[in-house]
Amino acid sequence: MDRPLRLPQQDRADFETELGRALAAPQVRAALRDVGDELRGVERLRRTARENAEYVLAAAAPEYERYALLRADADAEARLPADEPARGRASGWWGVLGVIVPIVAVAAAVVLLLLGYLLGLAEDMGVLGRALVEAGLVAAGVGAVSLLVGGAGLLGAAARGEGPAEGEADGPGELVRAREAWRSALAERGLVPFLVAQANAGRRV
């Protein structure tokens, strides 16, 4: 019975895929034809490669170490608490300052200005009317300033939120390239030479 590969479950499928490709490689097929064992030899070589997987894997050790390191970093980063709550709070405050405050301030300004102008028509309410008009102008100014500041804050928060996404786009790409480099090294430096040597060894038996 074949020994189980001493590889993480997610890497065993890659090993088996590259083993199947290596067994179909022209060099391996030619070596099997030379010893007249092309039919049964494939399964013999498959079993031998699995039994000597540690030796075969050692030929691609540098590529696998880099791939495993990148994958571990990606897994660790994925397990970190997301920073979304903090970003959400920041965006929420900017939203309040940029949307809610201006609406309230403008509404207050309209009411104060209307009351101020109406009271200003009455001779005995002129002072109060002017005070309300001034308060209305101040409220309008507050609304305009908060609209500008809050809008700028929302744009800045959106820009900061897009930054990590670009960095994350490079991370998986580098991980994919590292995986492909390991699989290529496993096939070219590990499996194919090993299988050819094992096939040729059958000639001397």
Side-chain angles (χ1 to χ4, degrees), residues 91 94 152-164:
S91 299
W94 287 121
L154 285 173
L155 290 176
R160 287 192 298 273
E162 294 173 357

Side-chain angles (χ1 to χ4, degrees), residues 62-132:
E63 287 80 3
Y64 183 74
E65 289 176 1
R66 182 172 184 274
Y67 169 49
L69 180 62
L70 289 173
R71 185 172 60 195
D73 290 343
D75 292 342
E77 184 176 350
R79 287 192 295 269
L80 288 176
D83 195 29
E84 290 305 319
R87 291 182 184 175
R89 287 193 296 271
S91 299
W93 284 114
W94 287 121
V96 169
L97 186 60
V99 178
I100 298 177
V101 172
I103 292 175
V104 174
V106 169
V110 171
V111 172
L112 291 172
L113 289 172
L114 286 176
L115 287 176
Y117 286 129
L118 289 176
L119 292 175
L121 297 177
E123 296 181 358
D124 54 345
M125 293 290 184
V127 175
L128 179 58
R130 286 193 297 273
L132 291 176

Side-chain angles (χ1 to χ4, degrees), residues 173-185:
E174 186 177 5
L175 183 61
V176 169
R177 289 191 294 271
R179 178 189 178 198
E180 292 302 320
W182 168 60
R183 291 178 58 165
S184 297

Side-chain angles (χ1 to χ4, degrees), residues 46-70:
R46 188 189 306 275
R47 183 173 60 254
T48 303
R50 289 171 177 167
E51 292 173 351
N52 295 273
E54 289 82 1
Y55 171 80
V56 176
L57 290 167
E63 287 80 3
Y64 183 74
E65 289 176 1
R66 182 172 184 274
Y67 169 49
L69 180 62
L70 289 173

